[in-house]
């Protein structure tokens, strides 16, 4: 465990240097303001009770976790804890807290705050994320050390402590928030959250803007030893329309924006006043297939046959889809998880081969093809493009695809009811570990493998074992086998992974988006 | 019937409308596939998480019980708490409504301001080039999609010429109006086309009426005849049209608010429907229904002023 930590620590250092390189040439500007446009506002800034990426991706600017994901997303680095050590049997973890850390109101961050925050986050009744900390049996504090006693060895506990829901909150301030029940207090506190992160939220006009001021007590120093963050003020403006966000950027009314449509990336790359940034992400795009023997209405399901699922994969030319939808910015999926996920093992998946697809269909008894349907989001240009191409390619092997356009809540409802043939899907990891995506995509007991009803008992066994495997090599081997078995069984139509496309004015620097999606502004600055 | 009684009667009519709309929207919102919990937790929800949230939100109670609870709260002036935003619905609507009202009002003023003089010119010059030109230009306005017109105006007047900010809402009333001018113009363009065509036709029709000949033969000047007699009579149907269009204008605001990043209730409504945020959908529908009802009432009052026979 120790060795792993040293190794990831080194990797983190290397990654940090690489990412920091472009800015080393010029000294960072201190002070000033950056305006960053987001497509949607946050909903609920509570680390434990939130549900949406619009919350998760900005929480890192307000709160700290004991450990932090490295910028390459593959490991963890020190956060509020400077040291951590696993017991030899893997059933305890002892962390040493950084001394002198204060919350943004100036009050000290104590071991009691840590225990209280983690107890709140692991309460099974609170929030959708508590399972990441479920292995904790007991938390004890002594001075500046925090000891987690685990119910069983848990290789995911270290990355879990670097995940947003394990953020450390000020117990006293939270309890002083108005409201009687913990839920009411959480709502009140999330309106004016106080953490130990680089910024503090000072104004929030819902649907319009969020203003964050620099936290004068932030503990992390910049490379030059001076305090971070560089910016005095960070403003998030909410601009839902893609085209409007880019017009605002070009007009210089904002310094940066997220979610640049792929179709506009080349144009922005050519604009001398702007800088296009493509951050490696954990985002994968695929089609989920229902693989149960029959549909809700009792009709038999062709996709229950693995040969049909393989045929559908062979019939899709991923490079063509990538070329048309992402204009070449994507890369073919090489596993069900992204190449940026720890323990990823990639292989060439289903190289385009319509003849083989036809042969497989014939073997499965569908020589003349069949009709099927897919649930897709109405108004989503990327999905529309993907499906138009897939529809045409499948047409060549006799598979007629009907595209049913629905809104997200409808798609989710049909998905949860397992009342669908296929659906469009997109995934990003929240944690620097393969266990989260695997528990949803491959491990049947959680949500029936993406509600596909596909089950491989061996994969379930491997996953269960991997959740307690503290030997890194053994765990890697388990994940290799899971990924290979998944690829062969093809419960999804593998499409592509894409980076996060972000654009800035030329004079705005230092923003980082890690593969998990978190937006880091502590090192951001705007040249005068 | 005098004016006060008429107003009172119309205000009373709002009450049953209100109740009917309340029931309809309550049922419709729940007929949509999915519910707030699935919208909130998304694809990663486990069964346990869904069950727990259902209980927390009271969605596991029978529908009739939920409806009675809703009616009871509304009667106490309480619209509940937004499921997605976790803040009181009244507060969020109060925050968002002014932008939409200002946008709609500004758009109506602009539309009327553009349409009335041009309709007048087109009608009095009927069949000649000014008429053709005006009608051709408005045809384009009428047939252009709002989001496209909006982006075009933004590209030219905001990003290009820098006369206006590229979307947003600003701080303070003056800044609000300045930010809302382009989106209002976007809405006004297609709206004014509707008004212009209607008013032009009405003026042409009134011009044929016998009382116009009579007024002229009485020796009244062309100007007096046109403004005092023709325009006033022709405006009657236009006023009805404007009143009826307020609802449509509020609908158009949804797209405009997104393109121009205006924090209005149009955007809130769409976001709430996507989130299946029942309390917000319900409250907002009721509030919009009241606004439309009041707009109809205002239309009646203006008509009464234009044509005293309406009140009789």
């Amino acid at each position: 465990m120790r060795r792993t930590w040293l190794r990831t620590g080194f990797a983190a250092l290397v990654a940090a240097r690489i990412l920091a390189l472009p800015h080393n040439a010029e000294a960072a500007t201190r002070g000033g303001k950056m305006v960053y446009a987001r497509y949607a506002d946050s909903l609920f800034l509570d680390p434990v009770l939130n549900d949406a990426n619009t919350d998760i991706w900005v929480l890192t600017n307000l709160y700290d976790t004991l450990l932090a994901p490295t910028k390459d997303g593959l490991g963890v680095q020190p956060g509020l804890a400077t040291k951590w050590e696993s017991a030899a049997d893997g059933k305890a973890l002892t962390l040493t807290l950084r001394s002198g850390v204060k919350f943004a109101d100036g009050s000290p961050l104590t071991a009691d705050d840590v225990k209280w925050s983690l107890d709140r986050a692991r309460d099974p009744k609170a929030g959708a994320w508590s399972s990441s900390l479920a292995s904790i049996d007991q938390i004890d504090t002594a001075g500046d050390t925090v000891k987690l006693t685990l119910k069983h060895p848990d290789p995911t506990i270290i990355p879990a402590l670097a995940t947003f829901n394990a953020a450390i909150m000020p117990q006293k301030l939270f309890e002083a928030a108005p409201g009687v029940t913990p839920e009411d207090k959480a709502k009140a506190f999330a309106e004016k959250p106080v953490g130990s992160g680089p910024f503090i939220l000072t104004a929030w006009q819902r649907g319009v803007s969020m203003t964050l001021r620099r936290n004068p007590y932030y503990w992390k120093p910049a490379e030059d030893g001076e305090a971070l963050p560089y910016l005095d003020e960070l403003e998030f403006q909410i601009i839902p329309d893609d085209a409007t966000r880019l017009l605002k950027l070009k007009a210089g009314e904002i310094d940066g924006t997220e979610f640049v449509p792929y179709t506009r990336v080349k144009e922005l790359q050519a604009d001398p006043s702007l800088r296009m940034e493509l951050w490696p992400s954990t985002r994968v795009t695929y089609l989920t297939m229902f693989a149960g023997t029959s549909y809700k209405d009792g009709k038999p399901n062709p996709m229950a046959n693995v040969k049909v699922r393989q045929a559908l994969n062979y019939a899709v030319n991923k490079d063509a889809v990538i070329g048309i939808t992402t204009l070449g910015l994507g890369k073919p999926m090489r596993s069900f998880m992204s190449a940026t996920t720890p323990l990823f093992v990639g292989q060439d998946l289903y190289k385009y081969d319509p003849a083989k697809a036809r042969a497989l269909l014939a073997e499965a008894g569908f020589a003349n093809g069949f009709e099927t349907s897919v649930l897709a989001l109405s108004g989503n240009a990327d999905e529309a493009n993907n499906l138009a191409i897939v529809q045409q390619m499948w047409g060549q092997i006799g598979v007629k695809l009907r595209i049913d356009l629905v809104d997200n809540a409808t798609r989710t409802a049909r998905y949860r009811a397992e009342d669908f043939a296929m659906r469009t899907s997109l995934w990003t990891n929240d944690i620097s570990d393969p266990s989260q995506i695997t528990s949803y995509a491959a491990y049947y007991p959680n949500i029936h493998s993406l509600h596909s009803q596909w089950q491989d008992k061996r994969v379930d066994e491997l996953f269960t074992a991997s959740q307690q495997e503290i030997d890194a090599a053994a765990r890697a081997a388990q994940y290799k086998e899971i990924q290979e078995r998944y690829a062969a069984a093809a419960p999804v139509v593998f499409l592509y992974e894409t980076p996060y496309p972000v654009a800035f004015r030329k004079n705005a620097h230092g923003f980082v988006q890690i593969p998990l999606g978190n937006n880091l502004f502590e090192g951001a600055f705007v040249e005068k | 019937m005098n004016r006060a009684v008429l107003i009172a009667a119309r205000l009373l009519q709002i009450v049953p409308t209100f109740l009917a709309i309340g029931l309809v929207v309550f049922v419709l919102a729940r007929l949509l596939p999915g519910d707030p919990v699935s919208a909130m937790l998304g694809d990663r929800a486990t069964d346990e998480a869904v069950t727990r949230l259902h209980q927390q939100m009271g969605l596991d109670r029978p529908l009739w019980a939920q409806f009675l609870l809703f009616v009871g709260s509304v009667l106490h002036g309480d619209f509940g708490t937004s499921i997605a935003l976790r803040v009181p619905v009244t507060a969020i609507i109060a925050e968002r409504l002014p932008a939409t009202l200002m946008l709609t009002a500004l758009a109506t003023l602009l539309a009327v301001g553009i349409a009335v003089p041009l309709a007048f010119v087109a009608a009095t010059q009927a069949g000649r080039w000014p008429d053709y030109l005006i009608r051709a230009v408005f045809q384009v306005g009428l047939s252009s999609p709002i989001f496209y017109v909006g982006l075009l105006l933004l590209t030219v007047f905001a990003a290009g010429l820098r006369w206006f900010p590229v979307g947003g809402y600003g701080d303070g009333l003056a800044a609000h109006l300045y930010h809302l001018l382009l989106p209002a113009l976007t809405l006004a363009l297609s709206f004014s086309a509707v008004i212009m065509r209607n008013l032009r036709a009405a003026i042409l029709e009134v011009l044929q009426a016998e009382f116009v000949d009579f007024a002229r033969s009485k020796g009244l000047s062309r100007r007096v005849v046109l403004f005092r007699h023709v325009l006033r009579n022709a405006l009657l149907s236009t006023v009805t049209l404007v009143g009826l269009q307020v609802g449509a204008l509020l609908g158009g605001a949804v797209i405009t608010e997104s393109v121009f990043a205006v924090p209005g209730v149009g955007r809130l409504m769409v976001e709430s429907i996507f989130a299946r945020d029942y309390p917000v959908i319900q409250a907002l529908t009721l509030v919009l229904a009241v606004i439309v009802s009041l707009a109809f009432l205002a239309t009646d009052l203006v008509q009464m002023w234009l044509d005293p026979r309406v009140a009789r």
Side-chain angles (χ1 to χ4, degrees), chain A residues 58-235:
Chain A
V58 296
L59 277 172
T60 333
N61 296 296
L62 303 171
Y63 288 105
D64 285 316
T65 38
L66 292 174
L67 309 174
T70 53
K71 287 175 181 170
D72 64 0
L74 292 173
V76 296
Q77 57 185 337
L80 292 175
T82 50
K83 278 197 303 194
W84 58 99
E85 191 155 2
S86 295
D89 65 355
K91 290 177 76 173
L93 182 68
T94 308
L95 301 110
T96 308
L97 296 184
R98 190 178 295 278
S99 61
V101 175
K102 288 177 176 164
F103 288 110
D105 73 329
S107 63
L109 186 151
T110 66
D112 289 339
D113 292 312
V114 173
K115 176 175 160 54
W116 177 82
S117 299
L118 294 183
D119 279 338
R120 177 172 184 260
R122 72 193 180 95
D123 178 354
K125 290 195 291 294
W129 313 106
S130 58
S131 62
S132 71
L133 300 168
S135 65
I136 300 177
D137 188 31
Q138 197 184 318
I139 302 175
D140 297 295
T141 61
D144 63 350
T145 61
V146 176
K147 185 182 175 195
L148 310 183
T149 310
L150 305 181
K151 294 170 191 158
H152 52 77
D154 180 2
T156 69
I157 191 68
I158 287 174
L161 292 176
T163 303
F164 62 88
N165 65 321
I168 307 308
M169 302 170 73
Q171 178 185 6
K172 289 202 184 75
L173 293 178
F174 183 94
E175 282 170 350
V180 185
T181 63
E183 289 79 27
D184 287 344
K185 285 185 185 296
K187 280 178 194 170
F189 192 73
E191 290 294 296
K192 291 192 176 90
V194 178
S196 62
F199 294 95
I200 181 164
L201 180 69
T202 53
W204 187 2
Q205 255 187 300
R206 283 178 176 274
V208 183
S209 68
M210 232 184 230
T211 308
L212 292 83
R213 299 281 308 175
R214 92 186 276 275
N215 168 10
Y217 301 101
Y218 189 50
W219 53 271
K220 195 188 285 183
E223 281 167 36
D224 58 4
E226 297 283 326
L228 280 178
Y230 294 124
L231 292 169
D232 280 339
E233 192 176 314
L234 170 64
E235 184 185 330

Side-chain angles (χ1 to χ4, degrees), chain A residues 149-363:
Chain A
T149 310
L150 305 181
K151 294 170 191 158
H152 52 77
D154 180 2
T156 69
I157 191 68
I158 287 174
L161 292 176
T163 303
F164 62 88
N165 65 321
I168 307 308
M169 302 170 73
Q171 178 185 6
K172 289 202 184 75
L173 293 178
F174 183 94
E175 282 170 350
V180 185
T181 63
E183 289 79 27
D184 287 344
K185 285 185 185 296
K187 280 178 194 170
F189 192 73
E191 290 294 296
K192 291 192 176 90
V194 178
S196 62
F199 294 95
I200 181 164
L201 180 69
T202 53
W204 187 2
Q205 255 187 300
R206 283 178 176 274
V208 183
S209 68
M210 232 184 230
T211 308
L212 292 83
R213 299 281 308 175
R214 92 186 276 275
N215 168 10
Y217 301 101
Y218 189 50
W219 53 271
K220 195 188 285 183
E223 281 167 36
D224 58 4
E226 297 283 326
L228 280 178
Y230 294 124
L231 292 169
D232 280 339
E233 192 176 314
L234 170 64
E235 184 185 330
F236 294 138
Q237 283 189 7
I238 312 306
I239 304 164
D241 191 87
D242 293 342
T244 311
R245 282 202 305 282
L246 295 187
L247 274 177
K248 254 183 136 51
L249 183 70
K250 290 185 162 190
E253 290 182 18
I254 55 174
D255 299 302
T257 175
E258 64 178 356
F259 287 114
V260 174
Y262 302 126
T263 46
R264 305 287 301 271
V265 168
K266 287 236 161 63
E267 167 201 338
L268 299 198
Q269 279 169 337
D271 189 327
S273 62
L274 306 179
R275 188 182 60 258
M276 213 28 251
E277 295 179 358
L278 298 164
W279 291 94
S281 87
T282 53
R283 186 161 67 178
V284 284
T285 303
Y286 51 92
L287 305 177
T288 305
M289 287 182 274
F290 181 70
T293 46
S294 59
Y295 294 117
K296 279 260 138 117
D297 60 7
K299 288 201 184 111
N301 175 19
M303 271 97 72
N305 187 326
V306 62
K307 287 183 176 160
V308 173
R309 301 197 300 268
Q310 290 169 337
L312 293 174
N313 268 290
Y314 276 119
V316 171
N317 183 343
K318 289 190 268 297
D319 291 327
V321 178
I322 291 167
I324 291 170
T325 305
T326 76
L327 288 124
L329 295 169
K331 283 185 296 191
M333 281 175 81
R334 292 169 54 77
S335 164
F336 65 91
M337 58 183 77
S338 70
T340 48
T341 307
L343 306 187
F344 157 86
V345 177
Q347 52 178 311
D348 284 338
L349 293 174
Y350 301 99
K351 199 172 174 317
Y352 180 52
D353 190 344
K356 194 164 185 175
R358 267 190 293 268
L360 279 165
L361 272 190
E363 279 175 46

